[in-house]
Amino acid sequence: MAGLTATAQNVPPAATPFHMTGNIYLPNKLPATPERIASLKAPVGFTISKYAEGLDMPRMLAVSSNGDVYVSNRVKGTVTLVRDANKDGKAEVMQQVAQKPHLHGLALKDGKLYMAAIRELYVADVRPDGTLGELKMLYNDLPDAGQHANRTLGFGPDGKLYLSVGSTCNACDEDNPENATLLQVNTDGSGRRVYAQGLRNTIGFDWHPTTKQLYGLDHGIDWLGDEDQQEEFNQIKEGGHYGWPSIIADGKPYPANKPKSGDSYEQFDAKAVRPLLLYKAHSAPLGMVFNRGQQFPQQYRNDAFVTMHGSWNRAQPSGYKIVRVHFDEQGKAQQFEDFVTGWLVENDKSEFGRPCSIVQASDGSLLVSDDDNGVIYRVAYAAKASEATKKNKKRS
């Protein structure tokens, strides 16, 4: 563990001087043994098992209507088909079906798989056997990578494709208006436009099943200390500006980046969209999905599940877990709750998993990639197991 301190440069004269400070700490990596997986904690009735393993660095996931799973590896630039043919909750088929440099984001619609790299957007037909046809390039001029190169994709209720483009930096004034945004495009690549801006790096996003409103988690700025900047849970509105890099979290001014509009911080904040909820700094939210299935108990209906990949920029680790965002019956976000924990072990000095992407399988279970140990986990609810646990508690 090492602490680093730096003094900010080029602070506007009217701004309050500040210091950038922070710690670097990465827990020791351990293998995901059966004993460690059995130690993971989830609410009563839920089970956690390996759906697939030996996948090297599985990142983003996409699930087809027949249950096939596609998983990207951004380092090798591959997309792999993963299939549980006998429906026993464990995949038997793992077949590479595409390769282009830096493939990462995945989304399926109308028998086609859309794939995002750093500057490219591809689409390919999904064949009946799950393999892909020729990859057709829709774009090769997305913004340069910089610090946040991991583009992600999702289809909205409007049938349009949404593409997240992170910032090139920790905190700066971007030259390209498409950086730090969520883009919206048509399925043929036309109509590309900025849907929302001021989003430093919103990798995970999804639409509420009933209200159809869009939500996402934005990564906070690093090097502001262990407790800042907290991660933001936002309702992402068309045309909205979410403050980065001038306003962070719940309206705090960021002195190094005065609003480019010429507004004061107060004026700019009044126009920006504030987050609905905040989460512990540096937890690194990566995946998000709403529960649309019927497998989980009623109290989880329309709730969101989020993977916290885990911190590197704080003294005591945060993240390394799956959390639930509880929504009320009116579709309003209420609070964060732990859902699956336990990947941090040995008094938080070691870890055996970094949850990455999260999707809902056709049976209603959740599939979660771990790009650290090459595993895809399956989180399922077993009603019989839950009832047995309740009976045992009554007897005791």
Side-chain angles (χ1 to χ4, degrees):
M1 178 167 56
L4 299 179
T5 303
T7 302
Q9 304 296 317
N10 302 319
V11 178
T16 302
F18 74 109
H19 294 278
M20 300 182 73
T21 183
N23 295 284
I24 295 177
Y25 184 84
L26 278 172
N28 179 47
K29 176 185 169 182
L30 299 173
T33 62
E35 293 77 18
R36 291 193 178 107
I37 294 171
S39 73
L40 290 170
K41 297 177 178 60
V44 172
F46 286 90
T47 62
I48 306 151
S49 59
K50 280 185 180 180
Y51 180 80
E53 57 187 320
L55 285 164
D56 190 30
M57 297 180 67
R59 285 286 291 185
M60 296 295 108
L61 304 173
V63 181
S64 69
S65 57
N66 70 352
D68 283 349
V69 179
Y70 294 89
V71 55
S72 65
N73 180 324
R74 65 179 177 177
V75 176
K76 294 182 177 179
T78 59
V79 175
T80 299
L81 166 65
V82 178
R83 177 182 291 156
D84 174 14
N86 62 3
K87 307 301 180 184
D88 66 348
K90 188 174 178 62
E92 306 87 22
V93 176
M94 287 181 281
Q95 178 184 359
Q96 181 179 314
V97 293
Q99 185 168 23
K100 292 284 187 181
H102 311 298
L103 288 181
H104 187 255
L106 304 175
L108 283 155
K109 185 173 177 60
D110 298 334
K112 297 179 185 296
L113 180 65
Y114 292 76
M115 296 156 277
I118 295 173
R119 302 204 69 199
E120 299 82 19
L121 176 64
Y122 300 95
V123 62
D125 291 326
V126 179
R127 297 177 177 137
D129 64 355
T131 60
L132 302 180
E134 181 182 357
L135 271 64
K136 175 185 176 183
M137 183 184 292
L138 296 179
Y139 295 129
N140 63 358
D141 64 344
L142 293 172
D144 290 332
Q147 183 171 330
H148 301 121
N150 298 317
R151 316 307 187 205
T152 52
L153 301 172
F155 275 101
D158 55 6
K160 295 183 183 294
L161 181 63
Y162 290 75
L163 194 159
S164 178
V165 179
S167 65
T168 61
C169 58
N170 182 40
C172 66
D173 293 319
E174 297 282 8
D175 294 325
N176 190 327
E178 288 189 329
N179 276 116
T181 69
L182 189 67
L183 303 179
Q184 182 196 70
V185 301
N186 297 322
T187 53
D188 62 359
S190 65
R192 174 170 147 191
R193 68 188 184 96
V194 173
Y195 183 83
Q197 59 185 317
L199 295 164
R200 181 176 177 270
N201 194 29
T202 295
I203 292 179
F205 58 92
D206 196 9
W207 288 260
H208 190 279
T210 59
T211 68
K212 310 303 180 185
Q213 292 173 335
L214 174 59
Y215 295 88
L217 281 112
D218 200 34
H219 288 209
I221 294 172
D222 298 320
W223 303 114
L224 297 182
D226 281 5
E227 303 307 329
D228 280 314
Q229 177 199 348
Q230 290 179 282
E231 318 290 26
E232 298 183 0
F233 184 72
N234 293 305
Q235 181 185 341
I236 303 177
K237 303 175 182 178
E238 183 175 0
H241 196 301
Y242 289 80
W244 183 91
S246 299
I247 298 292
I248 62 175
D250 53 353
K252 296 178 182 178
Y254 185 68
N257 292 95
K258 191 174 182 179
K260 293 174 68 175
S261 61
D263 292 334
S264 68
Y265 283 103
E266 292 76 12
Q267 290 168 329
F268 185 72
D269 180 42
K271 299 176 184 177
V273 183
R274 292 253 186 116
L276 301 175
L277 300 171
L278 296 172
Y279 194 80
K280 186 174 288 188
H282 312 300
S283 296
L286 286 196
M288 174 180 164
V289 67
F290 276 99
N291 174 29
R292 296 174 172 84
Q294 303 300 314
Q295 185 185 120
F296 291 4
Q298 177 67 24
Q299 63 262 36
Y300 293 91
R301 183 182 179 187
N302 297 335
D303 283 349
F305 295 94
V306 178
T307 56
M308 297 294 177
H309 196 232
S311 63
W312 60 268
N313 189 213
R314 69 194 321 267
Q316 297 299 319
S318 62
Y320 300 91
K321 62 176 66 174
I322 303 170
V323 301
R324 167 193 182 192
V325 185
H326 178 58
F327 281 72
D328 64 19
E329 293 182 357
Q330 287 71 47
K332 303 294 184 183
Q334 298 298 302
Q335 63 199 33
F336 285 103
E337 300 173 3
D338 282 352
F339 183 61
V340 180
T341 62
W343 279 286
L344 276 174
V345 294
E346 298 178 347
N347 294 320
D348 294 352
K349 294 179 181 179
S350 302
E351 54 84 8
F352 65 92
R354 302 193 72 185
C356 187
S357 180
I358 185 166
V359 294
Q360 191 155 43
S362 53
D363 66 355
S365 63
L366 298 176
L367 300 179
V368 181
S369 64
D370 166 20
D371 63 347
D372 211 25
N373 266 319
V375 174
I376 297 177
Y377 288 95
R378 179 175 183 262
V379 183
Y381 182 76
K384 290 182 180 179
S386 177
E387 289 302 318
T389 302
K390 290 179 182 177
K391 288 179 181 179
N392 288 335
K393 284 184 176 180
K394 287 180 180 179
R395 289 171 184 168
S396 61

